[in-house]
Amino acid sequence: MQPDFHRPILAVDTGSSVLSLALRAGGEILSCRIDAGNRQSELILPQIGEMFAQAGIGAADLGAVVYAKGPGAFTGLRIGIGVAQGLAAPFATPLIGVPTLDAAAYLLPPQPCVLAAADARMNEVFYAWFDTAQRRRLSDYQVGAAAAIRQPENAVGTAAGIGSAFALEQPPPFSGCPDMPEAADFLRLALDSAYPAVAAAQAELLYVRDKIALTAAEQAARRAGAAA
């Protein structure tokens, strides 16, 4: 499928507790950012409706819908892709999924060695390495302990880090800032045509790990260890 970037484009990011939306229409970009907590499913459609009303458009006018593909919060990502599919499917509108770590990496000025790392909870982080100067990814998307992250052999130069993992008490062992992308950043990358457009039924999320929460026994063991 081919997106029509001459028409309005909506971007949705629900990969964290923040609800972030961006709508490019009429040569302008409208943005919305709300610390939604667990109210994303309640707030997302009314907020999109308000943006549509402000731009004077409807879902049928969209040339593509961009969504945060993850990794990130499991429930939030499911809400985002579900809304994107619901808006796109009736009108055969293409969907463009942009990985969250890519969107983070490209917040920095282009350089040969960027570590994008985001808090994955359970004492782990999601991460990947990028050469943003050459617009290529240097590693797989991974999850693990922040302290165990090592610069890949194919990386050149000093690592620059970015992402919410750098706000943790035990961040990755590299210098970095805790900035994370918003919907407008996903939109910008999608407009570069670096990510494929697919039909709503083929849209997928990027899962880096299967386990999304600790068991009750694991939580109890962690509390016992912290109290010792």
Side-chain angles (χ1 to χ4, degrees):
M1 299 187 73
Q2 291 298 320
D4 185 350
F5 290 144
H6 298 290
R7 298 169 65 185
I9 308 295
L10 174 69
V12 176
D13 175 19
T14 56
S16 68
S17 62
V18 174
L19 169 61
S20 180
L21 305 169
L23 176 65
R24 193 195 68 166
E28 298 182 355
I29 294 182
L30 304 175
S31 297
C32 168
R33 184 187 188 280
I34 301 174
D35 290 321
N38 60 2
R39 300 177 62 217
Q40 297 218 44
S41 60
E42 172 188 344
L43 297 174
I44 185 169
L45 286 176
Q47 291 298 321
I48 290 174
E50 288 186 16
M51 296 177 80
F52 283 175
Q54 187 175 348
I57 68 165
D61 298 308
L62 295 173
V65 179
V66 180
Y67 67 96
K69 193 174 183 177
F74 179 82
T75 300
L77 290 172
R78 295 301 306 172
I79 291 169
I81 193 173
V83 168
Q85 290 173 314
L87 292 171
F91 310 106
T93 305
L95 293 187
I96 303 173
V98 176
T100 302
L101 295 176
D102 295 44
Y106 285 94
L107 292 176
L108 295 173
Q111 49 200 294
C113 185
V114 174
L115 168 64
D119 183 8
R121 301 187 181 276
M122 297 192 294
N123 289 340
E124 292 183 325
V125 299
F126 299 119
Y127 67 96
W129 291 88
F130 298 84
D131 176 351
T132 55
Q134 299 296 321
R135 301 190 68 83
R136 63 193 182 107
R137 181 162 46 86
L138 301 175
S139 74
D140 292 335
Y141 301 105
Q142 301 173 72
V143 63
I149 299 176
R150 297 292 181 266
Q151 189 167 330
E153 294 182 359
N154 59 339
V156 177
T158 303
I162 189 167
S164 58
F166 290 93
L168 297 173
E169 290 186 7
Q170 296 182 329
F174 303 91
S175 61
C177 64
D179 295 347
M180 286 296 287
E182 297 186 0
D185 303 304
F186 290 86
L187 175 59
R188 175 175 53 84
L189 277 186
L191 293 176
D192 288 340
S193 301
Y195 302 91
V198 300
Q202 277 72 56
E204 297 179 338
L205 293 173
L206 174 60
Y207 295 118
V208 180
R209 70 179 176 200
D210 296 326
K211 187 171 185 176
I212 63 173
L214 295 175
T215 65
E218 289 168 333
Q219 294 178 37
R222 175 171 294 181
R223 288 193 295 269

